[in-house]
Amino acid sequence: MYYDVFISGFGGQGILLAGQLLAEAAMEKGLNVTFFPSYGVEMRGGTARCTVVMSDNEIGSPIVDNPRCVIAMNQPSLVRYQESTPPGGLLIVNSSLANLDDVKRQDIEVHGVPMSELAVELGNARLSNMVALGAFARLSGSISSDEIAGALEAVISERNRSLIPLNERAIMEGVRYAGGK
Amino acid sequence: MYYDVFISGFGGQGILLAGQLLAEAAMEKGLNVTFFPSYGVEMRGGTARCTVVMSDNEIGSPIVDNPRCVIAMNQPSLVRYQESTPPGGLLIVNSSLANLDDVKRQDIEVHGVPMSELAVELGNARLSNMVALGAFARLSGSISSDEIAGALEAVISERNRSLIPLNERAIMEGVRYAGGK
Amino acid sequence: MPTIKIESEKCKGCSLCIDVCPYELIRQERTINHQGYQYVVLADPEEQCTGCTLCALMCPDICIEVFK
Amino acid sequence: MPTIKIESEKCKGCSLCIDVCPYELIRQERTINHQGYQYVVLADPEEQCTGCTLCALMCPDICIEVFK
Amino acid sequence: MKQVFAKPKALNDEIMHYCPGCGHGVAHRLVAEALDHYDITGRTVGVAPVGCSVLMYDYFNCDIIEAPHGRAPAVATGMKRSRSDLIVFAYQGDGDLASIGLAEIVHAANRGENITVIFINNTVYGMTGGQMAPTTLLGQKTTTSPYGRNFNTDGYPIRMAEMLAPLEGTTYVARMSLDKPVNILKARKSVFKAFEMQINNVGFSFVELLTICPTNWGMDSMESIKRIQDEMIPYFPLGVFKEKETEDYI
Amino acid sequence: MKQVFAKPKALNDEIMHYCPGCGHGVAHRLVAEALDHYDITGRTVGVAPVGCSVLMYDYFNCDIIEAPHGRAPAVATGMKRSRSDLIVFAYQGDGDLASIGLAEIVHAANRGENITVIFINNTVYGMTGGQMAPTTLLGQKTTTSPYGRNFNTDGYPIRMAEMLAPLEGTTYVARMSLDKPVNILKARKSVFKAFEMQINNVGFSFVELLTICPTNWGMDSMESIKRIQDEMIPYFPLGVFKEKETEDYI
Amino acid sequence: MTEQKRILVKGNEAVGMGAIRAGCLYYFGYPITPQNEIPEFMSRELPRHDGEFVQAESELASINMVLGASAVGVRSMTSSSSPGISLMQEGLSYLAGQELPAVVINVVRCGPGLGGIATSQGDYFQAVKGGGHGDYRVITLAPASVQEMYDHTILAFDLADRYRNPTMVLADAVLGQMQEPIFEHGDVPPEPRKHWTLTGAANRPARHLKSLYLKEGELEAHNRMLQEKYREIQKHEVRFEEYDVDDAQLVVAAFGTSARIARTAVSRAREKGLKVGLFRPVTVFPFPGMRLCSLSERVKKFLVVEMNTGQMVEDVRLNVKGDTEVEFYGRPGGAIPTPVEVLTQIERHY
Amino acid sequence: MTEQKRILVKGNEAVGMGAIRAGCLYYFGYPITPQNEIPEFMSRELPRHDGEFVQAESELASINMVLGASAVGVRSMTSSSSPGISLMQEGLSYLAGQELPAVVINVVRCGPGLGGIATSQGDYFQAVKGGGHGDYRVITLAPASVQEMYDHTILAFDLADRYRNPTMVLADAVLGQMQEPIFEHGDVPPEPRKHWTLTGAANRPARHLKSLYLKEGELEAHNRMLQEKYREIQKHEVRFEEYDVDDAQLVVAAFGTSARIARTAVSRAREKGLKVGLFRPVTVFPFPGMRLCSLSERVKKFLVVEMNTGQMVEDVRLNVKGDTEVEFYGRPGGAIPTPVEVLTQIERHY
Ligand SMILES: Cc1ncc(C[n+]2csc(CCOP(=O)(O)OP(=O)(O)O)c2C)c(N)n1
Ligand SMILES: Cc1ncc(C[n+]2csc(CCOP(=O)(O)OP(=O)(O)O)c2C)c(N)n1
Ligand code: SF4
Ligand code: SF4
Ligand code: SF4
Ligand code: SF4
Ligand code: SF4
Ligand code: SF4
Ligand SMILES: [Mg+2]
Ligand SMILES: [Mg+2]
């Protein structure tokens, strides 16, 4: 088993947390995993990106040119990264902030999920990252939404523990929108 | 033709000037020449040393482990450097400041010259370096005292030009003491 | 009549101009620009702007021009 | 009777002690020590030294001991 | 209708990479206004530091060089000594100038190099993600003073204007704040004066500007502005610390 | 008969390599007397600079490390932070401390490191053969200011005691002169005080000592002493610039 | 040891965890991307362990604070990235000359100059040939995973103390920034007794730590002694890893992150039936040259892969038998070769 | 040219004379033995030429002042000795990254650490492999006489400007301190027009000099461009000298002062009837490897002589044919091999 995913969006959308959660879940599942965040000067412009690689083998590079899945959480990410996933790859787009009309690829699987809107409906725009992970779990088949939810405790800080149920709900909402469990 | 000489004494005895004069004279004679002074931290202790190499061939190292001639201008120099000249080499000692009894070598040519006393008799203790050069010219046969005296102008600074005749006399005094021209 | 012009694509929505306008003429949009920021606009262009330049002085991104 | 002891082998003949002695009791030798310096000596050990330590205070080479 | 406020010509039209609210923007504008005012853009060379403002060459219309971290005053010295007809300014952050580059700024000031230094004091290392700077206030939490800056282990916030003003080599030393329009106008005057000193060959001029870094202070812009007023200005008093008259020199 | 003046125990019997008259000798003695007085030789570590006093480890009976040129305050910081029970002093020349090592001394002082720094100001680079130091006086000829130090090109003699005293981190800052017995006695008191500050954990203490370098001044010892009095003291005023009371701190 | 839990940590934090596990309670450093999590971690953790975190005024100060701390006998460290490590070169030469143990972490970024903050292996020469002045060597470890960031930090303290020599962990931005699961383990070799530290001369003669030797012949003897020590290190401390080299016709040689990428490429090549292996130096000084030499008796070709313009390739060339071909594939300036790229190179040179 | 007079000058002063002859009127430096005569000479002479002498506060400041001066288009230089050169490594990496010409003189002394002030060739690696961070090269000249101290300084300015690259004269304490007769000559290649300098953006778009490249692929492209330049340098600027190599069975390879000593030894060996030659790299980067390679087709053995523990020997090994034997004889720490010693080695390996 090998799977790699690239998540990109604005700073503040919880991109890194989403990646870390995914990595933690993969680790708890017994997989090898690497999580690579964007860092430093790149952050100034208000963008955030990360890559997660999961495998039952040793993992080579934690940075991947052509990730099997790209999650584009905003318009610039859609424009910039839709090209990187290989033919047959998966592109999950936050259709609340990115225009699906701008998808140029014909050779990949594209899913629009109005992550921000769904999150706002759940009561907090910041949950869009969890919605994204739910959709990812459903669409990639690489890891289950339960496994992701199960790792929340390890990743969410002590004082935010009470928010775990809400996060779980957001993950499920993503699963639901992407085609149901 | 190849000749190398090592001069050593206290700071203030004009060791470096003597070496430079010799080098200048050798150059004016058309020889290749190198002059290597001691420098830096070594000077703090109040010692001064230099090496002059003259040759009609290209010169290799300007520093020489076993110089054909050692001029020891004081007692510590005599003690420390008499060993360095090779068998058959020449050792010229300032017998005013160094004790000839401390010469241990049997296999070299040793000459004591009371350089400081001769210089004082000429009116200035600081002329001992010139006396030394005179003796060296006479004993080494590598360069003539006239050639040395002829280079004085190039080495002595503008405002001390008037002292040239006195320096010439000191050189001749060294020649005289060492066995006459 | 004095007015200001805000380059919304340059604006980063820091709101420093909002706070400083004596007449509270500037407000933040809910929509975002291409940089991803909720930019600001002159709320009431016809009315009270005195062209005092306070908003422009504060703006770190030099997106405000003032006319008088 | 107060006096000083000068370690002539350590002395560098800087003459700072000479200048400072109120009774001009220290003088420089013409001969040199193993370091090559004209060292100083207490000129008149029997007489006026008050053991004031001024000479010793000035000596950078710590060659002067003072007894009182 | 006349335009009474416009982007200075010495800046180009790029969107700056700074965070929302970041003080570098206003500081850039003031420098650019000085270049416009004295009409010197065409003979000015700027020295960019390493820090958030390293990319300032993307914004200014004058020639600019990038200096190694902290060495802008040395680079500026090399330029001005070789081409005294150029106007040379260094633009430095507090980590750059007051920490790693302390020897360079003090010695350039002490030599009285005829250059202008704009010093951006935001009490933090912005570019590297919010570590403690020499100017970080006591008690301030940063990523390397997670329990708040403690004078016992971290020392005291350093006051650069006060350190440089007594040096014989400096001619103009001021500290200004970019917290509100009136102070921005005063700062503008100071920046102008600093360039004027150099144009008149009077010697080393220095303007410290108190600015906000909302990102690394973990505050929004308005809270950040308030922090300047409540915490920074009391410790870093504003004012002109030194101003030699041109006549003193000519 | 009692011995009223003897070589301090903290110094051994080596002949020092310094030139005749050199001020390092007296400075060494004063430090050694302090080590004797507080009986701390056995728990003291000295930091030798690069300069004529680099060989001080041949003379002192305490543990000593050699620091790279100018970095003695950083080395001392590393020691004292790791072993706060040790008494740590740095001994530095004016090239070492005020030129290449300026950032290190100012920041160690500003952090209030609990160390003692003895600063030998002889207005010249002794060891390297008499080049201009930051403390070289205006007009003074050195091998790199052959026409005399000129403020237009070389800047001004730097006053370190005055620069360090205003820093919050310093507790004792003094400048003394080794030109005559009475001043040497005062300097002795200052050096003692500086060590006392450290022993009492009060913080950073600093004593600047004006000394002669006959070799590189091109003067004999007596002329050199007169130069301290006529030229150095007027520019580098003597005195205690700062003295925090122990109680201020405990 | 009981079954341990894996935890997901960032490479830079693993360095901090390893250091504290090794008993290093004194950290001196200056911020620089991409290694800021090391000082940040230390500033949080050391006060809890009664240690000291000092944010130095510069990298020059950092390395010299480490020099001081090392001299009084404690384990201490600094970390930085490329430009900051350049500023430490004088200090490293002093540490080596004074025979002081010290651990320095270089989370390499791309250069030259300010360059960028992306990853690179462009500081290999600086680390293993000696970027400072004079004849000296820095023991240099090249981790390739977050686990090794942790392990090598501990090992670095051990080697530094054992040989009284500065020791560097030559990582890169990828290793510093990525998170991977690691095991924390407890088996740290005991700190040796140090008979040379400056701890006050009570009841013993005073000690000096210096690198200045002015008497005739002294410095030469000192240098020869150092070289003797470096030979000992070369004899005893070489470490490397091999995959599939036994029957390999072509062996890829790579260290650090490049080796991980090459590992994937080598597996894919094997899947395609190519007899390809991987040789990964774990220590780059001492360089595993002897092993390469004996491999070269059988292996036809070596392909060196680096994230630079060709540095370790020289050490490979110096060590393989005279006529062995050594090819190079490099990506400098922050670019990271992909497994596909490396595979293409393998196929090209096979 | 008319018949010229030889004058006796010190190596360090010859550097200053050459620099001024090359039109360098801006000197920035910090004192250190054994090169103090360079700043001292410049402080005396430059004011007379309407130039500027600045005694920098440190070597860090020196190299960055040079960086500034170079950026505005003038010829400028600094000089130092080993520990000071270590402090310049960050600056050198920046100069290379920003493609700025600059001349740096290293009058090498012995190390590591403070070491001593006697002569050494221990900074070879630092100079030619890059003691700073990242992939860059410094053009490095290795003079072997006072005449060459003069000539190479002029040449260094020429090469630096031609290739927009820092250029080092890698001398040693012997060359800096000794006096030899030299000819001053007037034939200095004209300074090229510089189209990249920062001289004010009047009537043209603003220019930037930087080494930071953040956009994807930019820094890699920049690095590849630099490497291309270094290859050009290797193609066009290799310089070396040979004595008696034509029929030599054993060739001694040595640079700088070592080459002079070896020259004497080789002559004596010839007197004894041994077929021995001398190969002296005049440029050590670019290293004359191609020539060594073709020599190695015929020559049985090379004996590398250095005043260090073995540095250039690696470059020799990297370039000679696979099975050519390369022996090494070195004296580190300030010791100078004598012709007799070298002759003994020649006889031993012949
Ligand atoms: C030699 C070196 N050390 C460290 C760094 C990393 N670094 C880049 S910017 C910076 C500090 C930035 O802080 P400041 O100067 O206050 O500027 P700001 O970003 O706050 O404007 C540091 C430490 C570097 N680039 N080079
Ligand atoms: C990095 C470095 N730069 C320069 C030197 C050369 N150097 C040795 S001592 C010294 C200055 C000595 O002057 P100072 O500190 O005033 O001490 P003094 O000898 O006058 O007591 C210098 C520049 C060095 N050893 N290391
Ligand atoms: S110019 Fe003055 S009144 Fe007009 S919008 Fe700006 S701040 Fe308000
Ligand atoms: S100050 Fe400028 S950037 Fe900030 S909100 Fe107002 S217009 Fe936008
Ligand atoms: S102790 Fe006083 S009186 Fe005696 S010799 Fe010394 S200075 Fe003179
Ligand atoms: S002060 Fe000391 S060294 Fe100087 S002359 Fe007197 S005794 Fe000798
Ligand atoms: S991090 Fe701070 S200083 Fe840097 S751009 Fe953002 S707000 Fe400005
Ligand atoms: S050179 Fe000056 S400082 Fe150095 S030992 Fe001689 S007198 Fe003292
Ligand atoms: Mg800042
Ligand atoms: Mg001094």
Side-chain angles (χ1 to χ4, degrees), chain F residues 24 93-96 120-127 133 135:
Chain F
H24 279 299
D94 43 0
D96 196 71
I120 306 300
N121 179 354
N122 58 10
T123 73
V124 81
Y125 284 39
M127 164 164 265
T135 50

Coordinates of all heavy atoms in Angstrom, one line a residue, chain F residues 24 93-96 120-127 133 135, ligand 10:
Chain F
H24 N 50.4 45.1 30.7 CA 49.8 43.8 31.0 C 50.3 43.3 32.3 O 49.5 42.6 33.0 CB 50.0 42.8 29.8 CG 49.1 43.0 28.7 ND1 47.8 42.9 28.7 CD2 49.4 43.3 27.4 CE1 47.2 43.1 27.5 NE2 48.2 43.3 26.7
G93 N 42.0 42.7 25.3 CA 42.6 44.0 24.8 C 41.6 44.8 24.0 O 40.4 44.4 23.8
D94 N 42.0 46.0 23.6 CA 41.0 46.9 23.0 C 40.7 46.5 21.5 O 39.6 46.8 21.1 CB 41.5 48.4 23.1 CG 43.0 48.5 22.7 OD1 43.6 47.5 22.5 OD2 43.5 49.7 22.8
G95 N 41.6 45.9 20.9 CA 41.3 45.4 19.5 C 40.3 44.2 19.7 O 39.2 44.2 19.0
D96 N 40.6 43.4 20.6 CA 39.8 42.2 20.9 C 38.4 42.5 21.3 O 37.4 42.0 20.7 CB 40.5 41.4 22.0 CG 40.0 40.0 22.1 OD1 40.3 39.2 21.2 OD2 39.3 39.6 23.1
I120 N 41.8 45.9 28.7 CA 43.1 46.5 28.7 C 43.1 47.5 27.5 O 43.3 47.1 26.3 CB 44.3 45.5 28.5 CG1 44.2 44.5 29.6 CG2 45.6 46.2 28.5 CD1 44.3 45.0 31.0
N121 N 43.0 48.8 27.8 CA 43.0 49.8 26.7 C 44.4 50.4 26.6 O 44.8 51.2 27.4 CB 41.9 50.8 27.1 CG 41.9 51.9 26.1 OD1 42.7 52.0 25.1 ND2 40.9 52.8 26.2
N122 N 45.1 50.0 25.6 CA 46.4 50.6 25.3 C 46.4 51.3 24.0 O 47.5 51.6 23.4 CB 47.5 49.5 25.4 CG 47.3 48.4 24.4 OD1 46.5 48.5 23.5 ND2 48.1 47.4 24.6
T123 N 45.2 51.7 23.5 CA 45.0 52.5 22.3 C 45.7 51.9 21.0 O 46.0 52.7 20.1 CB 45.4 53.9 22.4 OG1 46.9 54.1 22.4 CG2 44.8 54.6 23.7
V124 N 46.0 50.6 21.0 CA 46.7 50.1 19.9 C 46.6 48.6 19.8 O 46.3 47.9 20.9 CB 48.2 50.5 20.0 CG1 49.0 49.6 20.9 CG2 48.9 50.6 18.6
Y125 N 46.8 48.0 18.7 CA 46.9 46.5 18.6 C 48.3 46.2 18.9 O 49.2 46.4 18.1 CB 46.6 46.1 17.1 CG 45.1 46.1 16.8 CD1 44.3 47.1 17.2 CD2 44.6 45.0 16.0 CE1 42.9 47.1 16.9 CE2 43.2 45.0 15.7 CZ 42.4 46.0 16.1 OH 41.1 46.0 15.8
G126 N 48.5 45.7 20.1 CA 49.9 45.4 20.5 C 50.5 44.2 19.7 O 51.5 44.3 19.0
M127 N 49.8 43.1 19.9 CA 50.4 41.8 19.4 C 50.7 41.8 17.9 O 51.8 41.3 17.5 CB 49.5 40.7 19.6 CG 49.9 39.4 18.8 SD 49.1 38.0 19.4 CE 50.4 37.3 20.5
A133 N 43.7 50.9 16.8 CA 42.6 50.2 17.5 C 41.4 51.1 17.5 O 41.5 52.3 17.2 CB 43.1 49.9 18.9
T135 N 40.2 52.4 20.0 CA 40.5 53.3 21.1 C 41.7 54.3 20.7 O 42.0 55.1 21.5 CB 40.9 52.6 22.3 OG1 41.9 51.6 22.0 CG2 39.6 51.9 22.9
Ligands
MG10 MG 45.5 46.8 22.6

